[in-house]
Each structure stands twice: as C-alpha cells, then as structure tokens.
Amino acid sequence: MSFTSPPERISVDGLLFDMDGTIIDSTAAVMKFWHAVGAEINVDPKVIMQTAHGRRTIDTLGVVRPEKANWEYVREIEGQLPKVYGQDAVEVPGARNLIDALVSVDAPWAIVTSGTAPLVRGWLDVMKLAPPDCIVTAESVEVGKPHPACYKLGQDKLKLGSKASVVVFEDSPAGIKAGKAAGCKVVGLVTTHTQEQVVAAEPDWVLQDLRSVRAIECASGSVTLDISNALTQNKP
C-alpha cells in the first residue's frame, strides 16, 4: 500500500476536526504532562499513557485514579498544559493552511475533542490558530470517544440536519470509530498511530497529514474539497 491515490473531489455540508494529532501534535507535551500528573497522583506515567491518547482525561483518571476523576481537577490540570508545555507542540502539516482556507470561504467547521475547554482554547491561543465556528469539548458529552455523541453534537452545533453530509478528520482509532458511528465520512490521519492501527479503524480515507486536503470553495452551503495522495492498496 502507498499514499499515491489521484485527487478526489468531494462536497460536504460541514467539517468536524479532532484537535490533538489532527490539528496539532502535542505528543511530546502530553508525555511531559502525564509524567508530572503521574508523579502528583502516584501513578506510573507508562500505565497512564497506555490508555490516555484519544480518550478524555476524566476517563483515563477514572481508570488509574478514580478519586481524581472530577471536572474541577481535570480542567485545572489541562488548563496548565499549553502554558507550561506549549513549546513542545507542533502543527500537523497542512492544518493551518486548511483552516485558513476554510475561514476564507466561510465554510462551517468545528473542533470536536476529548480535551476540556481550557485545554482547547489554550492550544488555539498558544499556536495562534483561527478559532472554529463552535467547539465540542470533553465536558460537552456524558461519554467520550468511541461513542458517537460528540460528533453528533458537533453536527447539531453547526445546525446541520440529520441527512447532512459531514466529514470528520481524526487520528485515533477511537475517534475514527466515533465519526463513523455518527454517520460521517472519516479521514484518518497517520500522525500519532501506526498505519495499521488507522486502517483497522476503517476510515473512508487514510492520509499522512492535512497537506493532502484542499478547500476549494463554499457555495450554496456546500464545501468542495480535494483529497489527494490517500492510501491505496497496490494490486499485483
């Protein structure tokens, strides 16, 4: 298999983006964060990291230290992450250009993330990225990914009907499954997980990063995108 598919043009009514691993890559920052939190709550950070990515911090703490699994504590520690470790985060290639293009054509888009509001707004501020039309955060839903509630809420916040065509951009298998379960088309990015893990989650397209996505126009409520260099299976 190789990332060599020819350009494909699609039209959608809205776009929903995961944050970490999709718009930014804060892997190095998050590792430092969990080492600090692990020391604070007396849990081996290696144990935490085995279940943390793509899941809400409150759900991770519910497994490793249940008495700390409350929104006050989670919002407090996540709000510090961009402030303390912001220099360790980088943009996913192509993310800024795609976001700027969506803003320029007034396309409806939202961020749907497993992070809390202080974390998301902190990253947008530190990375100086344009804010979306709306944000769905960890506090917004009762159950995190892979449950589809977050992406269904994202569609509702963009005021898209139940029959709207929506594309989700995700990097984690749990997020990919959440998007599919919400009835969306899903672009899986090979940024934080292996190609095999992303493929196994069965997204509609598998890309290396967002450089393979171009926003062409937004007309009559429909956003036109070009998707190129998706993963293809080489035929013998």
Side-chain angles (χ1 to χ4, degrees), residues 3 11 14 17 20 22 55 62 77 85 100-101 155 168 170 194 204 218 225 228:
F3 293 93
S11 294
F17 291 81
D20 197 10
T22 301
R55 299 181 68 181
I77 60 174
Y85 306 111
D100 288 348
Q155 295 179 62
V168 164
E170 265 283 359
T194 66
D204 297 277
C218 181
L225 303 173
S228 60

PDB file of all heavy atoms in Angstrom, residues 3 11 14 17 20 22 55 62 77 85 100-101 155 168 170 194 204 218 225 228:
ATOM      1  N   PHE A   3       0.751   5.909  -0.450  1.00  0.00           N
ATOM      2  CA  PHE A   3      -0.038   7.135  -0.455  1.00  0.00           C
ATOM      3  C   PHE A   3       0.064   7.790  -1.833  1.00  0.00           C
ATOM      4  O   PHE A   3       0.762   8.786  -2.011  1.00  0.00           O
ATOM      5  CB  PHE A   3       0.454   8.071   0.644  1.00  0.00           C
ATOM      6  CG  PHE A   3       0.195   7.559   2.036  1.00  0.00           C
ATOM      7  CD1 PHE A   3       1.159   6.819   2.707  1.00  0.00           C
ATOM      8  CD2 PHE A   3      -1.021   7.800   2.667  1.00  0.00           C
ATOM      9  CE1 PHE A   3       0.931   6.342   3.994  1.00  0.00           C
ATOM     10  CE2 PHE A   3      -1.269   7.327   3.946  1.00  0.00           C
ATOM     11  CZ  PHE A   3      -0.293   6.587   4.610  1.00  0.00           C
ATOM     12  N   SER A  11     -17.949  16.929  -1.980  1.00  0.00           N
ATOM     13  CA  SER A  11     -18.708  18.055  -1.462  1.00  0.00           C
ATOM     14  C   SER A  11     -19.364  17.638  -0.152  1.00  0.00           C
ATOM     15  O   SER A  11     -19.961  16.554  -0.062  1.00  0.00           O
ATOM     16  CB  SER A  11     -19.777  18.496  -2.461  1.00  0.00           C
ATOM     17  OG  SER A  11     -19.186  19.025  -3.629  1.00  0.00           O
ATOM     18  N   GLY A  14     -20.437  20.174   6.070  1.00  0.00           N
ATOM     19  CA  GLY A  14     -19.695  20.657   7.234  1.00  0.00           C
ATOM     20  C   GLY A  14     -18.504  19.773   7.520  1.00  0.00           C
ATOM     21  O   GLY A  14     -18.409  18.638   7.038  1.00  0.00           O
ATOM     22  N   PHE A  17     -13.322  18.499  13.131  1.00  0.00           N
ATOM     23  CA  PHE A  17     -11.919  18.153  13.357  1.00  0.00           C
ATOM     24  C   PHE A  17     -11.664  17.753  14.808  1.00  0.00           C
ATOM     25  O   PHE A  17     -12.047  18.476  15.738  1.00  0.00           O
ATOM     26  CB  PHE A  17     -11.014  19.364  13.076  1.00  0.00           C
ATOM     27  CG  PHE A  17     -10.917  19.761  11.644  1.00  0.00           C
ATOM     28  CD1 PHE A  17     -11.908  20.529  11.053  1.00  0.00           C
ATOM     29  CD2 PHE A  17      -9.814  19.385  10.879  1.00  0.00           C
ATOM     30  CE1 PHE A  17     -11.812  20.920   9.727  1.00  0.00           C
ATOM     31  CE2 PHE A  17      -9.718  19.761   9.549  1.00  0.00           C
ATOM     32  CZ  PHE A  17     -10.711  20.536   8.975  1.00  0.00           C
ATOM     33  N   ASP A  20      -6.026  17.177  18.946  1.00  0.00           N
ATOM     34  CA  ASP A  20      -4.658  16.686  19.132  1.00  0.00           C
ATOM     35  C   ASP A  20      -4.377  15.502  18.218  1.00  0.00           C
ATOM     36  O   ASP A  20      -5.094  14.511  18.229  1.00  0.00           O
ATOM     37  CB  ASP A  20      -4.421  16.289  20.591  1.00  0.00           C
ATOM     38  CG  ASP A  20      -2.954  16.174  20.925  1.00  0.00           C
ATOM     39  OD1 ASP A  20      -2.124  16.579  20.097  1.00  0.00           O
ATOM     40  OD2 ASP A  20      -2.632  15.682  22.011  1.00  0.00           O
ATOM     41  N   THR A  22      -4.517  15.863  15.037  1.00  0.00           N
ATOM     42  CA  THR A  22      -5.195  16.207  13.791  1.00  0.00           C
ATOM     43  C   THR A  22      -4.876  17.630  13.365  1.00  0.00           C
ATOM     44  O   THR A  22      -4.463  17.870  12.230  1.00  0.00           O
ATOM     45  CB  THR A  22      -6.722  16.032  13.950  1.00  0.00           C
ATOM     46  OG1 THR A  22      -7.002  14.670  14.298  1.00  0.00           O
ATOM     47  CG2 THR A  22      -7.444  16.375  12.659  1.00  0.00           C
ATOM     48  N   ARG A  55      -8.581   9.572  24.447  1.00  0.00           N
ATOM     49  CA  ARG A  55      -9.601   9.451  25.469  1.00  0.00           C
ATOM     50  C   ARG A  55      -9.607  10.714  26.323  1.00  0.00           C
ATOM     51  O   ARG A  55      -8.595  11.405  26.451  1.00  0.00           O
ATOM     52  CB  ARG A  55      -9.332   8.240  26.372  1.00  0.00           C
ATOM     53  CG  ARG A  55      -9.338   6.919  25.652  1.00  0.00           C
ATOM     54  CD  ARG A  55      -9.087   5.777  26.613  1.00  0.00           C
ATOM     55  NE  ARG A  55     -10.182   5.579  27.554  1.00  0.00           N
ATOM     56  CZ  ARG A  55     -10.179   4.644  28.497  1.00  0.00           C
ATOM     57  NH1 ARG A  55      -9.132   3.864  28.646  1.00  0.00           N
ATOM     58  NH2 ARG A  55     -11.210   4.498  29.303  1.00  0.00           N
ATOM     59  N   GLY A  62     -10.403   8.000  35.605  1.00  0.00           N
ATOM     60  CA  GLY A  62     -11.387   7.072  36.147  1.00  0.00           C
ATOM     61  C   GLY A  62     -10.865   5.652  36.226  1.00  0.00           C
ATOM     62  O   GLY A  62     -11.307   4.867  37.076  1.00  0.00           O
ATOM     63  N   ILE A  77      -5.798  20.956  35.637  1.00  0.00           N
ATOM     64  CA  ILE A  77      -4.514  20.447  35.140  1.00  0.00           C
ATOM     65  C   ILE A  77      -4.392  20.603  33.623  1.00  0.00           C
ATOM     66  O   ILE A  77      -3.317  20.919  33.113  1.00  0.00           O
ATOM     67  CB  ILE A  77      -4.280  18.972  35.556  1.00  0.00           C
ATOM     68  CG1 ILE A  77      -5.368  18.040  35.005  1.00  0.00           C
ATOM     69  CG2 ILE A  77      -4.187  18.853  37.072  1.00  0.00           C
ATOM     70  CD1 ILE A  77      -5.106  16.557  35.269  1.00  0.00           C
ATOM     71  N   TYR A  85       3.806  23.582  28.703  1.00  0.00           N
ATOM     72  CA  TYR A  85       4.493  22.745  27.714  1.00  0.00           C
ATOM     73  C   TYR A  85       4.205  23.161  26.270  1.00  0.00           C
ATOM     74  O   TYR A  85       4.452  22.388  25.342  1.00  0.00           O
ATOM     75  CB  TYR A  85       4.074  21.277  27.902  1.00  0.00           C
ATOM     76  CG  TYR A  85       4.284  20.761  29.306  1.00  0.00           C
ATOM     77  CD1 TYR A  85       3.200  20.465  30.133  1.00  0.00           C
ATOM     78  CD2 TYR A  85       5.572  20.584  29.816  1.00  0.00           C
ATOM     79  CE1 TYR A  85       3.387  19.998  31.424  1.00  0.00           C
ATOM     80  CE2 TYR A  85       5.769  20.114  31.111  1.00  0.00           C
ATOM     81  CZ  TYR A  85       4.672  19.828  31.912  1.00  0.00           C
ATOM     82  OH  TYR A  85       4.860  19.370  33.187  1.00  0.00           O
ATOM     83  N   ASP A 100      -7.172  28.048   7.507  1.00  0.00           N
ATOM     84  CA  ASP A 100      -7.241  29.402   6.943  1.00  0.00           C
ATOM     85  C   ASP A 100      -8.099  29.428   5.678  1.00  0.00           C
ATOM     86  O   ASP A 100      -8.846  30.388   5.439  1.00  0.00           O
ATOM     87  CB  ASP A 100      -5.832  29.919   6.639  1.00  0.00           C
ATOM     88  CG  ASP A 100      -5.056  30.265   7.902  1.00  0.00           C
ATOM     89  OD1 ASP A 100      -5.668  30.324   8.987  1.00  0.00           O
ATOM     90  OD2 ASP A 100      -3.821  30.464   7.804  1.00  0.00           O
ATOM     91  N   ALA A 101      -7.983  28.368   4.868  1.00  0.00           N
ATOM     92  CA  ALA A 101      -8.791  28.299   3.647  1.00  0.00           C
ATOM     93  C   ALA A 101     -10.273  28.155   3.980  1.00  0.00           C
ATOM     94  O   ALA A 101     -11.130  28.770   3.331  1.00  0.00           O
ATOM     95  CB  ALA A 101      -8.331  27.125   2.777  1.00  0.00           C
ATOM     96  N   GLN A 155     -22.374  18.134  14.833  1.00  0.00           N
ATOM     97  CA  GLN A 155     -23.306  18.387  13.727  1.00  0.00           C
ATOM     98  C   GLN A 155     -24.448  19.299  14.173  1.00  0.00           C
ATOM     99  O   GLN A 155     -24.852  20.218  13.453  1.00  0.00           O
ATOM    100  CB  GLN A 155     -23.869  17.058  13.214  1.00  0.00           C
ATOM    101  CG  GLN A 155     -22.826  16.150  12.583  1.00  0.00           C
ATOM    102  CD  GLN A 155     -23.426  14.834  12.121  1.00  0.00           C
ATOM    103  OE1 GLN A 155     -24.295  14.803  11.260  1.00  0.00           O
ATOM    104  NE2 GLN A 155     -22.967  13.733  12.694  1.00  0.00           N
ATOM    105  N   VAL A 168     -15.329  14.001   8.943  1.00  0.00           N
ATOM    106  CA  VAL A 168     -14.586  14.071  10.203  1.00  0.00           C
ATOM    107  C   VAL A 168     -13.114  13.831   9.923  1.00  0.00           C
ATOM    108  O   VAL A 168     -12.755  12.956   9.118  1.00  0.00           O
ATOM    109  CB  VAL A 168     -15.117  13.006  11.196  1.00  0.00           C
ATOM    110  CG1 VAL A 168     -14.128  12.778  12.339  1.00  0.00           C
ATOM    111  CG2 VAL A 168     -16.476  13.414  11.738  1.00  0.00           C
ATOM    112  N   GLU A 170      -9.669  12.755  11.846  1.00  0.00           N
ATOM    113  CA  GLU A 170      -9.269  12.106  13.095  1.00  0.00           C
ATOM    114  C   GLU A 170      -7.925  11.404  12.949  1.00  0.00           C
ATOM    115  O   GLU A 170      -7.531  11.025  11.845  1.00  0.00           O
ATOM    116  CB  GLU A 170     -10.305  11.066  13.519  1.00  0.00           C
ATOM    117  CG  GLU A 170     -11.350  11.553  14.494  1.00  0.00           C
ATOM    118  CD  GLU A 170     -10.845  11.665  15.924  1.00  0.00           C
ATOM    119  OE1 GLU A 170      -9.668  11.349  16.167  1.00  0.00           O
ATOM    120  OE2 GLU A 170     -11.636  12.079  16.790  1.00  0.00           O
ATOM    121  N   THR A 194      -0.004   3.983  14.233  1.00  0.00           N
ATOM    122  CA  THR A 194       0.583   3.327  13.077  1.00  0.00           C
ATOM    123  C   THR A 194      -0.426   3.270  11.931  1.00  0.00           C
ATOM    124  O   THR A 194      -1.644   3.375  12.143  1.00  0.00           O
ATOM    125  CB  THR A 194       1.021   1.897  13.405  1.00  0.00           C
ATOM    126  OG1 THR A 194      -0.141   1.096  13.692  1.00  0.00           O
ATOM    127  CG2 THR A 194       1.971   1.871  14.601  1.00  0.00           C
ATOM    128  N   ASP A 204     -12.761   6.311   5.777  1.00  0.00           N
ATOM    129  CA  ASP A 204     -13.023   6.322   4.342  1.00  0.00           C
ATOM    130  C   ASP A 204     -11.778   6.669   3.538  1.00  0.00           C
ATOM    131  O   ASP A 204     -11.632   6.229   2.394  1.00  0.00           O
ATOM    132  CB  ASP A 204     -14.142   7.330   4.043  1.00  0.00           C
ATOM    133  CG  ASP A 204     -15.444   6.930   4.719  1.00  0.00           C
ATOM    134  OD1 ASP A 204     -16.172   6.098   4.146  1.00  0.00           O
ATOM    135  OD2 ASP A 204     -15.708   7.421   5.833  1.00  0.00           O
ATOM    136  N   CYS A 218     -16.848  27.306  -0.983  1.00  0.00           N
ATOM    137  CA  CYS A 218     -18.080  27.045  -0.237  1.00  0.00           C
ATOM    138  C   CYS A 218     -19.182  27.826  -0.928  1.00  0.00           C
ATOM    139  O   CYS A 218     -19.178  29.067  -0.924  1.00  0.00           O
ATOM    140  CB  CYS A 218     -17.939  27.476   1.221  1.00  0.00           C
ATOM    141  SG  CYS A 218     -19.422  27.167   2.214  1.00  0.00           S
ATOM    142  N   LEU A 225     -14.040  20.015  -1.444  1.00  0.00           N
ATOM    143  CA  LEU A 225     -12.696  19.656  -1.009  1.00  0.00           C
ATOM    144  C   LEU A 225     -12.026  18.776  -2.050  1.00  0.00           C
ATOM    145  O   LEU A 225     -12.683  17.968  -2.714  1.00  0.00           O
ATOM    146  CB  LEU A 225     -12.734  18.876   0.313  1.00  0.00           C
ATOM    147  CG  LEU A 225     -13.398  19.514   1.530  1.00  0.00           C
ATOM    148  CD1 LEU A 225     -13.459  18.494   2.666  1.00  0.00           C
ATOM    149  CD2 LEU A 225     -12.645  20.755   1.974  1.00  0.00           C
ATOM    150  N   SER A 228      -6.143  14.250  -1.940  1.00  0.00           N
ATOM    151  CA  SER A 228      -5.157  13.590  -2.804  1.00  0.00           C
ATOM    152  C   SER A 228      -4.175  12.762  -1.973  1.00  0.00           C
ATOM    153  O   SER A 228      -4.073  12.918  -0.761  1.00  0.00           O
ATOM    154  CB  SER A 228      -4.384  14.640  -3.623  1.00  0.00           C
ATOM    155  OG  SER A 228      -3.711  15.530  -2.773  1.00  0.00           O
TER     156      SER A 228
END
